[in-house]
Amino acid sequence: MSVMSRPAPRLVIVVPCYNEEEVFSSCLTELRNSIKEMVQDNLIKKDSFLLFVDDGSCDQTWRCIREACAEGECIQGVKLSRNEGHQAALLAGLHVAGQHSDAVVSIDADLQDDVQAIRRMVKAYCAGYDVVYGVRDSRQTDTWFKRTTAEGFYHLMALMGVKQKFNHADYRLLSSRALKALLNYNERNIYIRGLIPLIGFPSLEVRYDRGVRIAGESKYPLRKMLALALEGITSMTVAPLRLIASLGFLICILSLLAILYILLIKITGHTIAGWSSVVLSIFFMGGVQMLSLGIIGEYIGKIYLETKHRPRFHIESVMENGAEK
């Protein structure tokens, strides 16, 4: 796959924020310094900026963003009308950033992803790559439970047939044409990590060590991780439906064998009266049916939401050049 070199881009760093008041000042300082250093080194254009997206926070996150926008020339803000979730907030930021940029980097506000990797992403962009994945090379700073469940999440997604980069979350660089291609996906139930590989275009991995969250609590506990996995699986693959079909076929084969066995012992006169096998089979089949109906219902629910064509987010206000719109 051939790539062509590019000039320094106008870069926008998109930062989704939900109740990040405790970490905002540190995040702002780190990213603003990174922008200034890259401008000084002629890696990016002088009009590059940070774009913070407030995902309906309950704390003072939006106030912090407004104050930062009023004080800094390279800072802009977007406020969603309500909490829509990380993926929708990120998509909202990408929509706004795509109107003003040559390349976009997305990163979480907790700064567990190494900010210094942005320089390598920009250099990869200048070398001609359209998608640059930030891949976690080490997660030793995470707890055993967090590390195990996170890696289990990626293995589960791969098992279900979802094509995504292992240990890659939402830390990446997209060129303007890659971003435009991503925004052409109009589904309501979005899983951006799974959509990016579908875009194609030349891509590269940038590896880094995951750091420690500097303050506050993780916005992705086990409950949200499971919800994200369900969203990713049901929006990216029909593997669970095929699993149900395979399970039904297997049960039919076992049932046929059981019928032959019952007929055999009936003919030979070795029938033993008992209710255990009957009760167990009823409970087993009942459980399989309920599970199957639940999975099918989840897909039907997704279809129901998609057919409504409701907007994925509403922007309440935008901070640009120190003024709120």
Side-chain angles (χ1 to χ4, degrees):
M1 186 179 295
S2 61
V3 294
M4 299 177 62
S5 60
R6 300 188 180 99
R10 185 188 190 192
L11 180 70
V12 180
I13 301 179
V14 178
V15 190
C17 302
Y18 178 65
N19 292 343
E20 298 290 6
E21 177 185 6
E22 295 180 73
V23 303
F24 183 81
S25 60
S26 299
C27 174
L28 174 63
T29 300
E30 287 282 339
L31 292 177
R32 185 162 51 189
N33 289 341
S34 179
I35 288 260
K36 290 180 179 179
E37 290 173 2
M38 287 188 288
V39 168
Q40 291 173 357
D41 295 339
N42 295 318
L43 281 177
I44 60 177
K45 293 180 180 178
K46 293 181 179 180
D47 54 355
S48 299
F49 62 92
L50 304 174
L51 178 63
F52 292 96
V53 182
D54 179 27
D55 185 23
S57 298
C58 302
D59 61 2
Q60 298 299 313
T61 298
W62 179 241
R63 179 182 61 80
C64 294
I65 294 174
R66 291 179 60 186
E67 292 176 355
C69 291
E71 297 173 0
E73 296 179 356
C74 64
I75 304 165
Q76 296 185 20
V78 172
K79 178 177 174 57
L80 302 188
S81 61
R82 60 186 293 272
N83 177 241
E84 297 286 358
H86 179 272
Q87 297 290 281
L90 174 56
L91 196 65
L94 294 177
H95 267 285
V96 175
Q99 305 169 18
H100 310 283
S101 65
D102 300 314
V104 175
V105 169
S106 56
I107 186 172
D108 290 339
D110 58 17
L111 292 188
Q112 288 187 269
D113 298 320
D114 184 10
V115 174
Q116 296 304 315
I118 296 177
R119 296 178 64 89
R120 288 182 282 153
M121 291 182 180
V122 172
K123 289 179 179 178
Y125 166 85
C126 293
Y129 291 96
D130 290 283
V131 181
V132 186
Y133 297 98
V135 179
R136 295 159 179 170
D137 207 21
S138 172
R139 306 184 65 121
Q140 295 305 312
T141 55
D142 289 341
T143 64
W144 175 87
F145 180 77
K146 175 67 175 179
R147 184 168 60 252
T148 302
T149 54
E151 292 181 350
F153 165 80
Y154 289 106
H155 286 302
L156 173 64
M157 299 297 281
L159 185 64
M160 291 290 105
V162 179
K163 298 183 184 299
Q164 63 176 5
K165 292 289 183 180
F166 185 79
N167 264 339
H168 163 70
D170 288 300
Y171 187 27
R172 69 180 72 87
L173 178 145
L174 298 174
S175 69
S176 57
R177 69 170 180 169
L179 178 57
K180 182 179 180 180
L182 173 63
L183 297 180
N184 283 333
Y185 290 89
N186 295 316
E187 57 254 44
R188 178 68 172 77
N189 304 285
I190 53 172
Y191 181 65
I192 298 177
R193 304 177 198 183
L195 292 177
I196 297 297
L198 301 181
I199 294 174
F201 297 129
S203 63
L204 187 71
E205 293 183 8
V206 167
R207 294 189 168 270
Y208 64 94
D209 292 335
R210 182 173 168 82
V212 181
R213 184 179 177 90
I214 55 179
E217 298 179 353
S218 171
K219 300 305 182 293
Y220 263 99
L222 180 61
R223 175 179 59 82
K224 286 193 175 182
M225 191 175 295
L226 291 174
L228 182 65
L230 181 62
E231 185 79 14
I233 291 170
T234 54
S235 65
M236 298 301 301
T237 178
V238 294
L241 297 178
R242 291 173 179 168
L243 181 61
I244 290 174
S246 301
L247 183 60
F249 179 76
L250 177 61
I251 291 175
C252 288
I253 297 296
L254 293 177
S255 299
L256 180 61
L257 294 176
I259 290 171
L260 294 175
Y261 173 73
I262 291 171
L263 289 175
L264 179 63
I265 62 174
K266 180 69 174 178
I267 293 172
T268 57
H270 291 88
T271 305
I272 300 176
W275 60 270
S276 299
S277 58
V278 175
V279 172
L280 287 174
S281 61
I282 291 174
F283 273 98
F284 173 72
M285 286 305 300
V288 169
Q289 290 173 351
M290 292 299 293
L291 176 61
S292 300
L293 287 173
I295 294 174
I296 294 171
E298 186 69 29
Y299 276 92
I300 293 174
K302 300 295 184 184
I303 296 171
Y304 171 72
L305 293 175
E306 291 290 348
T307 56
K308 287 178 174 292
H309 299 293
R310 290 177 175 173
R312 289 172 288 196
F313 53 83
H314 296 285
I315 294 177
E316 180 177 322
S317 56
V318 176
M319 287 292 299
E320 186 176 347
N321 298 323
E324 186 169 357
K325 300 178 180 180

